[in-house]
Amino acid sequence: MKWIGALLLLSATTWVGFEFARKLNERPKQIRQLKNALQILEAEILYGQTPIIEACATVSKQLPKPVSWFFAGFSKDLGKRPGDLYDIWEKNMNRFWPLSSLGKNEKEILEQFGRTLGQHDFTQQQKHIHLALTHLDRELQEAIDYQYRYSKMAKSLGVLTGLLVILLLI
């Protein structure tokens, strides 16, 4: 009976370590997806002169989940009740964020971008998109460094923590 408990404990701590490492590995991918989303949004708005609702729907079709969920929800909510763009943007960010592996800094960047979305002419909007992309580039480098530094350690700590607890209990 002790061995079954020990195996379950070891499995649980190992799973936690691997789950943390997975989140670390997903963060750079999702930042790249956000960058792609903003580049597609820029092309749709500036060059295609597409309304924001349709541009966000297009973005959601071209990106993988969970980033596509954000833009699909934003487009859908904007179509239901046109109003303050930032309120709808913020509501969708709060709904989307727990499903992603993104950090607090990326959320702040997108919130700042959401405040400017639809508020300016084409050239100003393009500048805001480029500013958000620059900030996301910086966060991407930090996320890659963080992933490289801590991913293997998280996996190892999960296993070793389980072994430590088992040894203390036996």
Side-chain angles (χ1 to χ4, degrees), residues 74-91:
F74 179 67
S75 176
K76 185 174 139 188
D77 288 352
L78 206 55
K80 283 181 186 175
R81 57 176 185 94
D84 187 22
L85 212 58
Y86 178 67
D87 289 340
I88 297 171
W89 181 270
E90 187 176 35
K91 179 184 134 202

Side-chain angles (χ1 to χ4, degrees), residues 85-86 89 93 109-119:
L85 212 58
Y86 178 67
W89 181 270
M93 281 202 39
I109 291 167
L110 285 182
E111 283 177 349
Q112 288 175 354
F113 175 72
R115 284 189 194 100
T116 64
L117 188 62
Q119 300 291 324

Side-chain angles (χ1 to χ4, degrees), residues 20-35 101-106 109 134-152:
F20 187 74
R22 184 191 64 78
K23 282 213 174 247
L24 288 176
N25 292 334
E26 286 293 315
R27 185 172 171 226
K29 291 178 190 174
Q30 290 181 6
I31 293 173
R32 284 186 199 100
Q33 291 170 5
L34 279 177
K35 286 179 56 180
S101 298
L102 298 168
K104 185 180 79 168
N105 292 342
E106 292 88 13
I109 291 167
T134 302
H135 289 305
L136 286 174
D137 278 334
R138 183 191 70 232
E139 290 302 320
L140 178 60
Q141 285 304 315
E142 289 179 19
I144 290 170
D145 291 344
Y146 201 77
Q147 172 197 7
Y148 179 73
R149 201 174 309 147
Y150 296 112
S151 182
K152 290 180 183 177

Side-chain angles (χ1 to χ4, degrees), residues 41 44 50-61 67-85 87-93 95-96 117:
L41 199 61
E44 289 291 323
T50 310
I52 292 176
I53 297 174
E54 294 173 25
C56 288
T58 302
V59 168
S60 72
K61 292 174 188 171
V67 174
S68 67
W69 291 337
F70 170 71
F71 286 98
F74 179 67
S75 176
K76 185 174 139 188
D77 288 352
L78 206 55
K80 283 181 186 175
R81 57 176 185 94
D84 187 22
L85 212 58
D87 289 340
I88 297 171
W89 181 270
E90 187 176 35
K91 179 184 134 202
N92 277 284
M93 281 202 39
R95 190 179 339 149
F96 156 76
L117 188 62

